[in-house]
Each structure stands twice: as structure tokens, then as C-alpha cells.
């Protein structure tokens, strides 16, 4: 009986266990809403903008180093003066920022000018650029700026040659080669007809700069009815001008129109004296106006005409002050070249403020077709191609001083006496 009861209990227990194992599982609970994703971390702020990087190529070495020194001085002084006044207001940053000038040596050569601009853009990470004071060098560098779409403010580059490039990212402030070439004819045309030169020798650097300038002289020779008896291009860096001097004598030349570096210019005048070449009118561009030209030649520089782009006596805002600052740092000497590069910095600073940005396209758009008031060059106006015209002066060295011949004033041109009559 006990065995039977035990067996029944065992069957009941096993049946219960089997029933519980085969039972329907409890239904799963309905899924709730997915948890909200964690917010993405805020991007780390970039470095605060503390200055405006303006890259500039200048001739620190090479045959253009003398004129390049004035160009550099003007850039550095303009930047210092703007920063002393508080800097440049940039709307997108809501504050004034100082200009920082980053210089690169163009070594007075086009290939080096292009390489210098490439370095400024790619390695120095400049915001905007400015040019040197020689046409072929600026064209080479502007081509690089065009490639990277960085705005480049050039100056002292022939407008006609620069304009032929149709640059979209570079501007220029200067005069045209043909326009500058008219000045000596304007000067000669107000002299007594009997005293005017009869046979002009044309000596230009054999490069695009000289070729463009030379074409202007030839054009106006026909307009004003003057005779170019000798057209003698020369290779920059020439050490011996004997053959050219002999050709001038053979062609009975009594005037010289010259374009060359200061170094070449000094060599040429010295050799003219050595060979006793007497000309009644000598007018030079680029190489005749630096103070180093007078330092190198002394009294032999007297009576020589030279070009000029600016004078501290012009009635423009700040011109007298800038001229005095130059004198204070150059033993009382003056300059006729610093006005344009100084104004170039002023224009760039105004364009940044008008654009409210350091973006090259926005700054460029303010310059092209823009007007900039109150510079040391007066009010500067750019056409839609980014070109701004300035007037050319004609001055004569006398006793180390620049005497204004053109535009016509109280001072009268003095013809060059023979070497043995000085």
C-alpha cells in the first residue's frame, strides 16, 4: 500500500513538472521609447584673430635694392602709423586689429618675386598681399596671387602693361608708360625752340619694362616732332657702356632719355664723363631719383633730370608729416618715391574696413571701382579693372636738391654744361 501511494505521488509530481515546462511563456513587455542620444560636443573654438597678416615682396638685394629700400620704408612706416592710430577695424571680428607686415625678398628678379609670393601665401599664410616697385616682378608675383586667389595690391607698375594681364585678384596704382614718356617732351616744348635738343638717344633696359617705356618715347617723339637719332637698348647689369657712348657721339646726340637701375645709372654717367660725352639734356627714370645716385656721383649729378611720383610739398593729407619722418631717418634727405607705396597701405586698410572682412574676394571688390579719400596721394580712384592713375613729376638735381621743373613753376630748367665747363 505504501509503495502504491509513493508511486502515485511520484506520477503527480512528474506530471506537474512537465505541465509547467510546456506552459505558454509570459508575453514580453512592450518596448519603451529609446533614450535620447547624448548631445555632440561643441567644436573647440579656433585661435582668436589678433592681427592682419599682410605679405609684401620688396627688393632687399640685387640691382633694385636702392629703390627697394625706399619702398620698404614706406610700407613699414605706413603700417606703424596705422597701428599707432589703433589699427584697422574689421567688422567680422568686431574689433580693430593691427597690421603685421611680412616681408619677402624678390631679389630684383621676376622668378624670385614669384617664389617669394608663393612662400608668403603657402608658408606664411598671409591674409592679403602687396607688391614691389618693378613691373616685371609685380606681374610675376601677381600671377602667383591669381593662382591662389589672394588679393594683391600693387603699385609703381606701368598701368598699361599691368592692365594687359587682366588680373582678377591684383590692383595697381601708378601711371602708364606712355603717359610718363610724355613728360620730357612737355618740358622741352616750353623751352626756347632754338635751344631744344636736335638728336635724342634712347637707352632703355632690354626687358618688358624698358620696351614698354621705349614705345612711349617713340610715340611722343612723333607727336612733338623730335628726332630719336639712336635707339640703344642695353642689358641690365652692363659694366661697360663705351660702345653706346661712341654711338651717341657718332649720331651727334645732344640728349639722353634713360631707364635703368641706380647702379647702372651711376656707371653710365661716370663713363660719360670719362669719355667726355657732352649732352645738353639728360633725363633718367628709376635709377636717377634715389639719394644714393647723388651720393655716388656728387656734383656730377647736377643738372640731371629725373622722374618723381610724389613730393612732400603736395597738398595731400599727411604728405608733409611722412616726408619729415623720412628726413628724420635719412640724415635730412628726401624722397620722391615713398608716397605711392605709403598710400598703397592706406588703400588696403580702408578697403578692409569697407569690406568688414579679411576675405580676399571682399577686399578686392572694394578696391576694384573704389575711391579712397585722404591718402598721402590725395583721393585715389580705381577703375573697374583695379587700376588707379597718378601723375608724373619732372625734377632736376642741383647741389643735392630736387628742383621742380614739371609741372611748370617758378624754377626754370638749366641745360647741362660741358664737363670741362663745370
Amino acid at each position: 500500500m505504501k509503495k502504491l501511494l509513493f508511486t502515485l505521488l511520484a506520477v503527480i509530481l512528474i506530471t506537474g513538472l512537465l505541465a509547467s515546462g510546456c506552459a505558454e511563456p509570459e508575453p514580453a513587455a512592450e518596448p519603451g521609447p529609446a533614450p535620447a542620444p547624448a548631445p555632440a560636443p561643441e567644436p573647440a573654438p579656433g585661435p582668436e584673430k589678433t592681427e592682419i597678416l599682410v605679405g609684401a615682396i620688396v627688393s632687399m638685394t640685387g640691382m633694385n635694392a636702392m629703390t627697394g629700400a625706399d619702398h620698404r620704408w614706406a610700407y613699414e612706416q605706413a603700417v606703424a602709423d596705422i597701428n599707432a592710430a589703433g589699427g584697422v577695424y574689421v567688422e567680422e571680428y568686431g574689433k580693430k586689429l593691427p597690421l603685421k607686415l611680412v616681408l619677402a625678398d624678390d631679389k630684383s628678379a621676376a622668378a624670385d618675386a614669384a617664389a617669394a609670393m608663393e612662400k608668403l601665401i603657402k608658408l606664411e599664410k598671409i591674409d592679403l598681399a602687396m607688391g614691389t616697385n618693378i613691373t616685371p616682378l609685380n606681374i610675376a608675383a601677381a600671377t602667383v596671387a591669381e593662382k591662389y586667389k589672394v588679393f594683391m595690391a600693387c603699385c609703381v607698375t606701368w598701368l598699361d602693361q599691368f592692365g594687359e594681364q587682366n588680373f582678377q585678384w591684383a590692383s595697381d596704382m601708378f601711371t602708364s608708360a606712355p603717359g610718363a614718356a610724355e613728360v620730357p617732351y612737355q618740358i622741352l616744348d616750353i623751352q626756347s625752340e632754338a635751344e631744344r635738343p636736335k638728336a635724342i638717344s634712347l637707352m632703355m633696359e632690354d626687358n618688358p619694362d624698358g620696351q614698354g617705356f621705349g614705345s612711349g618715347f617713340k610715340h611722343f617723339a612723333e607727336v612733338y616732332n623730335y628726332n630719336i637719332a639712336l635707339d640703344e637698348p642695353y642689358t641690365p647689369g652692363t659694366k661697360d657702356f663705351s660702345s653706346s657712348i661712341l654711338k651717341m657721339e657718332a649720331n651727334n646726340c645732344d640728349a639722353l632719355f634713360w631707364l635703368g637701375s641706380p647702379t647702372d645709372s651711376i656707371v653710365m654717367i661716370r663713363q660719360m664723363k670719362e669719355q667726355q660725352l657732352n649732352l645738353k639734356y639728360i633725363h633718367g627714370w628709376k635709377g636717377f631719383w634715389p639719394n644714393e645716385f647723388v651720393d655716388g656721383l656728387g656734383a656730377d649729378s647736377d643738372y640731371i633730370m629725373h622722374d618723381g611720383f610724389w613730393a612732400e610739398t603736395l597738398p595731400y593729407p599727411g604728405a608733409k608729416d611722412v616726408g619729415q619722418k623720412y628726413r628724420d631717418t635719412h640724415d635730412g634727405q628726401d624722397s620722391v618715391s615713398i608716397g605711392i607705396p605709403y598710400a598703397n597701405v592706406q588703400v588696403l586698410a580702408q578697403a578692409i574696413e569697407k569690406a568688414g572682412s579679411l576675405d580676399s574676394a571682399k577686399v578686392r571688390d572694394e578696391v576694384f571701382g573704389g575711391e579712397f579719400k585722404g591718402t598721402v596721394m590725395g583721393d585715389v580712384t580705381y577703375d573697374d579693372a583695379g587700376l588707379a592713375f597718378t601723375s608724373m613729376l619732372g625734377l632736376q638735381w642741383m647741389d643735392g636738391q630736387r628742383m621742380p621743373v614739371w609741372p611748370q613753376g617758378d624754377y626754370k630748367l638749366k641745360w647741362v654744361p660741358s664737363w670741362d665747363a663745370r
Side-chain angles (χ1 to χ4, degrees):
M1 190 66 178
K2 288 180 180 179
K3 289 182 179 180
L4 179 60
L5 288 172
F6 180 79
T7 300
L8 289 172
L9 288 172
V11 171
I12 293 169
L13 178 61
I14 292 170
T15 302
L17 289 173
L18 290 173
S20 65
C22 295
E24 289 292 328
E26 290 288 331
E30 290 293 326
E42 290 291 329
E48 183 183 3
K49 190 70 174 176
T50 59
E51 56 194 4
I52 303 168
L53 294 181
V54 179
I57 57 170
V58 291
S59 298
M60 302 182 199
T61 58
M63 66 177 61
N64 190 48
M66 289 183 190
T67 55
D70 272 10
H71 203 83
R72 175 178 180 174
W73 183 92
Y75 277 170
E76 292 177 332
Q77 187 62 54
V79 167
D81 290 344
I82 289 171
N83 288 343
V88 179
Y89 181 75
V90 188
E91 184 177 359
E92 68 182 0
Y93 296 105
K95 61 181 178 180
K96 285 189 172 184
L97 296 174
L99 297 170
K100 181 178 179 180
L101 189 61
V102 185
L103 298 172
D105 186 6
D106 60 42
K107 302 179 183 178
S108 305
D112 291 299
M117 183 55 62
E118 185 108 16
K119 175 186 175 184
L120 288 171
I121 294 172
K122 295 187 68 177
L123 299 183
E124 300 293 347
K125 307 297 184 184
I126 60 172
D127 296 305
L128 301 158
M130 296 190 299
T132 187
N133 67 327
I134 299 294
T135 297
L137 277 60
N138 270 337
I139 289 176
T143 301
V144 175
E146 197 86 356
K147 170 184 174 183
Y148 291 103
K149 294 181 172 56
V150 172
F151 176 64
M152 179 180 176
C154 296
C155 61
V156 202
T157 296
W158 299 124
L159 291 178
D160 46 327
Q161 295 184 34
F162 195 87
E164 289 172 358
Q165 308 300 315
N166 295 314
F167 288 125
Q168 303 300 305
W169 295 89
S171 63
D172 182 30
M173 183 198 318
F174 198 38
T175 187
S176 66
E182 186 176 11
V183 171
Y185 298 105
Q186 292 170 318
I187 292 171
L188 295 175
D189 227 41
I190 60 176
Q191 312 305 317
S192 166
E193 186 173 356
E195 293 184 295
R196 296 172 192 168
K198 302 298 189 291
I200 298 170
S201 172
L202 193 63
M203 287 192 68
M204 303 281 110
E205 293 178 327
D206 192 8
N207 58 25
D209 212 1
Q211 291 157 11
F213 208 15
S215 65
F217 286 119
K218 295 171 188 175
H219 167 74
F220 283 110
E222 295 181 3
V223 172
Y224 286 86
N225 196 27
Y226 283 87
N227 173 37
I228 294 183
L230 178 66
D231 183 5
E232 182 81 348
Y234 83 94
T235 302
T238 295
K239 304 302 181 186
D240 186 359
F241 291 99
S242 297
S243 62
S244 297
I245 292 171
L246 289 173
K247 289 179 183 178
M248 280 188 264
E249 290 177 336
N251 286 274
N252 298 313
C253 293
D254 54 357
L256 170 66
F257 295 172
W258 163 275
L259 176 71
S261 70
T263 302
D264 291 348
S265 301
I266 291 170
V267 171
M268 177 64 180
I269 298 300
R270 283 177 176 167
Q271 292 183 10
M272 286 173 56
K273 181 181 181 180
E274 290 169 1
Q275 298 186 41
Q276 289 294 295
L277 174 64
N278 293 308
L279 305 175
K280 69 185 307 180
Y281 185 84
I282 303 173
H283 198 144
W285 288 258
K286 185 169 71 173
F288 281 10
W289 58 255
N291 288 303
E292 288 83 357
F293 178 77
V294 175
D295 293 341
L297 291 173
D300 291 342
S301 65
D302 285 351
Y303 304 96
I304 291 177
M305 292 291 303
H306 69 84
D307 59 327
F309 320 132
W310 176 83
E312 61 189 84
T313 54
L314 292 170
Y316 299 148
K320 184 177 180 180
D321 180 60
V322 171
Q324 187 60 53
K325 287 177 179 177
Y326 184 89
R327 289 177 181 275
D328 291 344
T329 55
H330 290 80
D331 297 324
Q333 295 180 321
D334 66 345
S335 173
V336 294
S337 69
I338 57 176
I340 294 181
Y342 189 101
N344 199 38
V345 181
Q346 292 179 305
V347 166
L348 189 62
Q350 287 188 37
I352 292 170
E353 291 195 339
K354 289 182 178 183
S357 172
L358 300 182
D359 179 78
S360 270
K362 293 179 180 178
V363 175
R364 174 203 59 190
D365 290 347
E366 293 296 335
V367 175
F368 281 49
E371 182 179 11
F372 301 87
K373 295 183 176 296
T375 80
V376 296
M377 289 296 296
D379 295 343
V380 179
T381 301
Y382 289 80
D383 65 17
D384 291 339
L387 306 177
F389 178 83
T390 61
S391 300
M392 183 72 78
L393 309 177
L395 305 107
Q396 186 171 42
W397 282 116
M398 288 298 296
D399 300 321
Q401 300 296 315
R402 308 174 196 272
M403 307 307 293
V405 176
W406 185 263
Q408 188 177 10
D410 295 334
Y411 179 83
K412 304 302 181 184
L413 173 73
K414 292 179 172 59
W415 300 110
V416 183
S418 62
W419 291 108
D420 58 8
R422 297 192 183 199

